[in-house]
Amino acid sequence: MKVNVDAWGSMSFFRKLKDRLTRSSSKIDEGLDAIVEDGGTQEELAPTVTPEDPKPQPEPETPPSPEPQPEPAPTEEPATPPPVEEPQTPEPPESVPPLEIPSEPVEAPSAPESIDPPVVPIPSPEPIPTETVTVESTPPESAEKPGLLGRLLGRKETKTVVRRELDDDMLEQLEELLISADMGVDTALRVTSNMAEGRFGKRLSTDEIKNLLSGEIANIMEPVARPMPLYPHRPQVVLVVGVNGSGKTTTIGKLASQFRAAGKKVVIAAGDTFRAAAVEQLQVWGDRAGVPVLTAPEGSDPASLAFDAMTKAQQDGADLLMIDTAGRLQNRSDLMEELAKIVRVIRKKDETAPHNTLLVLDATTGQNALNQVDIFRQIADVSGLVMTKLDGTAKGGVLVALADKFGLPIHAIGVGEQIDDLAPFDPEEFARALTGAAE
Ligand SMILES: Nc1nc2c(ncn2[C@@H]2O[C@H](COP(=O)(O)OP(=O)(O)OP(=O)(O)O)[C@@H](O)[C@H]2O)c(=O)[nH]1
């Protein structure tokens, strides 16, 4: 009954996300390094025998650390056995793309995700009871590369990594770090205490912590990663709400372009009739997307425009009608009334409308995004979220707080101002990008 649209953009997207979330991840990165170094000690990893060494070398003579290191760091692999990065992933079987949200109303526009041939080899950050196992899968960051001479001579290389024992102090520092990345107190506490479960007293390195945190964050995000559902019902009315400047116009343009690319007929209504600039902006995006934008004279009733837009969308047999709305939160009761009126009026034409109410949030507002969800849920029947401007902000953690607190579906994220800078939300990728965990 639901239609799946393949419109959600190219797959290099998440590579882009990784690059662009650098400010969030470098914040966590640097913070983690400092935490682990503060009170941590350098340990030798199991010495690796370089390629030329004839014997497989069972156990090192240097006792490595309390936790033995099953497999040495995946540095220089001489032969060319498996073509792709098998080594990274301990157990591929369970790394089924998390995006294939099978369940319920939503039909994943994220499906194309799985088309991506390099299907995200998930580094299995999941908290396996024996923490040593999880932990070992990451390449030790401080591992030294064997020099050419060393390799030729088959010399044993001693690698080191800084590890710190997980104790109350360290846990507190981790909490603070996550809070500073805008994850919010409650969520930061939950993430760190889940991560610490069964690991108290263990020695952990930065990379190991990143993987563990990333796994915990992905667990929180997974249930909310839901692409916007599409219905065969025509027109499907999508009301787009959010404060001014949150990225509504841009998001509508990006969505319209993607839906259109997927063969959907789209109509846009410029419902923020009070701001000429907003209407113009939407027209620019409509042109870019190749989608008609219905406008009304400045200051006219948005509900009447919505009604006209409904009529046109029905006449044209449009698949989707996207209605932009004003975002003046300063006068909440006016806005509430305005939105309510739009809904009343479009229901005269279709009592099941609107079919989606998207709340667009700006990631750079950090914790304020939580208040916005609270407020908009009071004035509109918010069915899902789009988080914009995740690029270049150090506040990406707010998305985790949102997921944890409200559990509203996160349909898509925006990571740039270009038309294709919007993609379905992939919890694993996001968690790794946020924490800087390795793939
Ligand atoms: N970096 C970045 N900028 C974005 C993103 N989404 C939107 N923007 C920028 O944010 C600014 C505001 O976006 P709009 O789409 O105009 O926001 P709006 O909610 O429609 O705002 P009003 O028109 O004032 O109601 C613009 O300069 C956009 O280019 C994003 O994902 N990343």
Side-chain angles (χ1 to χ4, degrees):
M1 141 172 186
K2 275 76 192 197
V3 181
N4 187 3
V5 162
D6 212 71
W8 292 74
S10 69
M11 261 11 291
S12 59
F13 181 85
F14 279 109
R15 235 140 277 143
K16 222 188 229 177
L17 170 65
K18 269 212 135 132
D19 294 343
R20 293 185 182 186
L21 265 175
T22 45
R23 285 185 54 196
S24 286
S25 62
S26 63
K27 184 168 196 167
I28 293 183
D29 246 347
E30 287 161 19
L32 282 179
D33 280 340
I35 290 173
V36 173
E37 268 157 33
D38 169 29
T41 50
Q42 209 160 59
E43 293 176 3
E44 281 182 7
L45 285 177
T48 330
V49 178
T50 46
E52 267 67 15
D53 198 317
K55 34 205 168 313
Q57 221 239 323
E59 253 323 289
E61 49 290 303
T62 6
S65 76
E67 285 100 47
Q69 201 86 5
E71 19 103 295
T75 11
E76 320 281 345
E77 198 84 343
T80 43
V84 211
E85 34 226 317
E86 219 97 68
Q88 290 274 51
T89 321
E91 62 266 85
E94 39 84 89
S95 55
V96 189
L99 264 194
E100 251 57 285
I101 320 120
S103 60
E104 56 208 288
V106 195
E107 182 86 19
S110 52
E113 165 70 358
S114 53
I115 295 170
D116 193 16
V119 170
V120 216
I122 293 165
S124 100
E126 36 281 289
I128 306 163
T130 37
E131 65 294 341
T132 29
V133 181
T134 333
V135 147
E136 256 66 272
S137 59
T138 17
E141 67 269 71
S142 41
E144 284 161 38
K145 276 185 120 189
L148 176 65
L149 202 60
R151 271 181 289 158
L152 289 176
L153 299 174
R155 204 172 58 208
K156 288 170 191 169
E157 296 292 330
T158 304
K159 300 172 180 192
T160 59
V161 65
V162 178
R163 286 207 170 93
R164 178 177 167 188
E165 185 181 319
L166 184 62
D167 56 12
D168 281 329
D169 241 20
M170 182 175 172
L171 211 53
E172 209 169 294
Q173 288 176 323
L174 289 173
E175 281 159 19
E176 276 164 21
L177 178 64
L178 297 187
I179 292 168
S180 78
D182 257 270
M183 218 171 269
V185 177
D186 295 346
T187 308
L189 284 177
R190 186 172 352 271
V191 168
T192 47
S193 66
N194 284 352
M195 181 213 125
E197 208 178 308
R199 294 193 176 86
F200 233 75
K202 305 269 184 215
R203 298 179 61 76
L204 300 171
S205 73
T206 305
D207 279 355
E208 292 161 354
I209 297 171
K210 276 188 205 166
N211 271 350
L212 293 170
L213 288 178
S214 163
E216 292 303 334
I217 290 170
N219 285 344
I220 294 180
M221 307 306 278
E222 245 151 45
V224 300
R226 295 270 183 278
M228 191 184 95
L230 287 170
Y231 309 101
H233 185 94
R234 276 192 206 166
Q236 175 171 339
V237 181
V238 182
L239 200 60
V240 183
V241 302
V243 298
N244 287 335
S246 61
K248 289 190 300 294
T249 308
T250 311
T251 300
I252 291 173
K254 290 170 176 175
L255 282 172
S257 155
Q258 293 184 1
F259 287 135
R260 187 162 177 263
K264 299 277 162 191
K265 196 165 185 181
V266 184
V267 172
I268 295 174
D272 187 358
T273 57
F274 295 90
R275 293 174 56 242
V279 173
E280 268 166 37
Q281 194 60 26
L282 199 53
Q283 267 167 329
V284 170
W285 275 101
D287 287 347
R288 268 181 214 157
V291 165
V293 178
L294 290 194
T295 61
E298 197 175 343
S300 60
D301 183 2
S304 121
L305 172 71
F307 187 82
D308 292 346
M310 240 346 237
T311 311
K312 177 166 170 57
Q314 284 175 332
Q315 277 168 358
D316 291 0
D319 298 294
L320 284 143
L321 167 61
M322 307 189 72
I323 305 178
D324 190 15
T325 61
R328 294 173 304 278
L329 265 192
Q330 301 86 323
N331 194 337
R332 206 186 296 181
S333 60
D334 276 3
L335 185 58
M336 191 186 299
E337 219 168 88
E338 188 174 310
L339 290 175
K341 190 169 173 196
I342 292 175
V343 169
R344 255 196 332 271
V345 160
I346 56 178
R347 281 192 180 152
K348 284 188 186 160
K349 300 224 124 222
D350 177 355
E351 61 186 20
T352 65
H355 306 95
N356 315 83
T357 302
L358 300 190
L359 172 58
V360 178
L361 296 167
D362 173 348
T364 65
T365 60
Q367 291 294 294
N368 194 257
L370 296 165
N371 300 337
Q372 289 177 24
V373 175
D374 256 340
I375 293 168
F376 274 96
R377 287 220 303 185
Q378 289 162 30
I379 61 183
D381 190 12
V382 176
S383 61
L385 307 177
V386 174
M387 177 65 82
T388 66
K389 308 185 200 178
L390 269 172
D391 50 311
T393 176
K395 298 173 182 253
V398 69
L399 208 48
V400 189
L402 282 169
D404 196 30
K405 178 158 184 211
F406 298 104
L408 278 167
I410 297 172
H411 294 321
I413 53 175
V415 290
E417 300 184 75
Q418 303 307 309
I419 201 153
D420 59 353
D421 287 335
L422 185 84
F425 177 67
D426 180 328
E428 301 267 354
E429 290 283 356
F430 174 79
R432 282 203 297 274
L434 183 69
T435 55
E439 283 192 42

